[in-house]
Amino acid sequence: MHLIWHAPLSFYSRADEAAFFTWLNGIPEVKSITGVGRELHIELSSDVVSEASLRELLAIYSRYIGNMKELAKFVTPENESWFKSKKAYWYASVFQ
């Protein structure tokens, strides 16, 4: 499984860029990150991500303005009750 982060990806400083990659690399299911042209290809070690990792992906995609619709593929029967909650800040960005 992989995610593709399309440009633009804007950083406000070198430390902001470092924080982004440190955060993304700190997600247990992130196996590798490769720049391809103006895209980041994020390879995951599994088709299923833990709740903690999914919440981190939601946060980083929200903070750095990634295409949150790409995260909809992580819905499962186990996480649907909270992930698809219409009260969640990410609901419209991911599911509408």
Side-chain angles (χ1 to χ4, degrees), residues 23 27 29 49-63 68 71 74 78-79 81-85 88-90:
W23 188 2
I27 298 172
E29 287 88 349
V49 297
S50 68
E51 178 178 342
S53 293
L54 182 52
R55 288 182 183 276
E56 291 301 320
L57 286 168
L58 288 163
I60 198 169
Y61 266 67
S62 180
R63 161 65 179 86
M68 293 185 69
L71 303 178
F74 295 117
E78 293 77 25
N79 69 22
S81 64
W82 66 266
F83 187 30
K84 290 186 81 174
S85 170
Y89 75 87
W90 60 78

Side-chain angles (χ1 to χ4, degrees), residues 30-49:
V30 172
K31 185 175 175 182
S32 67
I33 304 166
T34 307
V36 178
R38 295 189 42 84
E39 298 175 340
L40 282 182
H41 290 227
I42 305 163
E43 185 179 351
L44 304 175
S45 60
S46 174
D47 290 349
V48 178
V49 297

